[in-house]
Amino acid sequence: MLLQPISRFLGIQAVAGGLLLACTVVALAVANSPLAANYAAFWHTPLSIGVGTAAISMSLEHFVNDGLMAIFFFVIG
Protein backbone atom coordinates (compact mmCIF):
# COMPACT_ATOMS: atom_id res chain seq x y z
CA MET A 1 0.00 0.00 0.00
CA LEU A 2 1.23 3.50 -0.82
CA LEU A 3 0.41 5.10 2.55
CA GLN A 4 2.08 2.44 4.70
CA PRO A 5 5.66 3.81 4.35
CA ILE A 6 4.43 7.34 5.07
CA SER A 7 2.51 6.13 8.11
CA ARG A 8 5.55 4.23 9.40
CA PHE A 9 7.78 7.28 8.80
CA LEU A 10 5.46 9.66 10.67
CA GLY A 11 5.08 7.15 13.53
CA ILE A 12 8.70 7.66 14.58
CA GLN A 13 8.81 10.16 17.46
CA ALA A 14 12.07 11.74 16.34
CA VAL A 15 10.58 12.46 12.91
CA ALA A 16 7.53 14.08 14.47
CA GLY A 17 9.74 16.31 16.60
CA GLY A 18 11.92 17.23 13.62
CA LEU A 19 8.87 18.02 11.50
CA LEU A 20 7.47 20.23 14.27
CA LEU A 21 10.80 22.04 14.59
CA ALA A 22 11.04 22.55 10.82
CA CYS A 23 7.50 23.98 10.67
CA THR A 24 8.32 26.33 13.55
CA VAL A 25 11.42 27.62 11.76
CA VAL A 26 9.46 28.19 8.54
CA ALA A 27 6.67 30.01 10.42
CA LEU A 28 9.19 32.27 12.19
CA ALA A 29 10.97 33.03 8.93
CA VAL A 30 7.74 33.93 7.13
CA ALA A 31 6.45 36.00 10.07
CA ASN A 32 9.64 38.07 10.03
CA SER A 33 9.82 38.51 6.26
CA PRO A 34 8.04 40.86 3.86
CA LEU A 35 5.27 38.24 3.77
CA ALA A 36 4.33 39.04 7.39
CA ALA A 37 1.11 40.87 6.42
CA ASN A 38 -0.07 37.89 4.36
CA TYR A 39 0.86 35.54 7.20
CA ALA A 40 -1.23 37.54 9.68
CA ALA A 41 -4.13 37.75 7.23
CA PHE A 42 -4.03 33.96 6.82
CA TRP A 43 -4.48 33.43 10.57
CA HIS A 44 -7.43 35.86 10.62
CA THR A 45 -9.25 34.05 7.81
CA PRO A 46 -12.86 33.40 8.84
CA LEU A 47 -13.73 29.72 9.16
CA SER A 48 -17.10 28.09 9.80
CA ILE A 49 -17.91 24.52 10.75
CA GLY A 50 -21.51 23.47 10.96
CA VAL A 51 -24.00 20.65 10.83
CA GLY A 52 -27.55 21.56 9.93
CA THR A 53 -28.51 24.73 11.73
CA ALA A 54 -25.74 24.47 14.34
CA ALA A 55 -22.54 26.25 13.30
CA ILE A 56 -19.40 27.70 14.82
CA SER A 57 -17.75 30.68 13.11
CA MET A 58 -14.36 31.95 14.23
CA SER A 59 -11.05 32.94 12.71
CA LEU A 60 -8.54 30.21 11.98
CA GLU A 61 -6.42 31.55 14.84
CA HIS A 62 -9.29 31.09 17.31
CA PHE A 63 -9.99 27.56 16.08
CA VAL A 64 -6.36 26.63 16.70
CA ASN A 65 -6.17 28.36 20.07
CA ASP A 66 -9.53 27.22 21.43
CA GLY A 67 -10.24 23.92 19.73
CA LEU A 68 -7.01 22.24 18.84
CA MET A 69 -5.19 23.31 21.99
CA ALA A 70 -8.02 21.92 24.14
CA ILE A 71 -7.77 18.60 22.30
CA PHE A 72 -3.99 18.68 22.71
CA PHE A 73 -4.19 19.12 26.46
CA PHE A 74 -6.85 16.42 26.81
CA VAL A 75 -4.56 13.98 24.98
CA ILE A 76 -1.49 14.99 27.02
CA GLY A 77 -3.42 14.89 30.31
Side-chain angles (χ1 to χ4, degrees):
M1 203 171 155
L2 182 63
L3 296 177
Q4 188 176 7
I6 295 170
S7 177
R8 200 172 338 126
F9 177 74
L10 292 177
I12 301 170
Q13 289 181 358
V15 173
L19 186 61
L20 182 61
L21 183 62
C23 290
T24 301
V25 169
V26 169
L28 284 171
V30 171
N32 291 299
S33 74
L35 297 173
N38 293 336
Y39 183 75
F42 168 74
W43 284 110
H44 292 100
T45 302
L47 186 65
S48 295
I49 297 176
V51 175
T53 59
I56 298 174
S57 297
M58 293 187 278
S59 68
L60 181 60
E61 179 182 30
H62 281 114
F63 267 109
V64 170
N65 287 341
D66 295 346
L68 296 179
M69 292 302 282
I71 292 169
F72 170 77
F73 284 111
F74 277 126
V75 169
I76 295 301

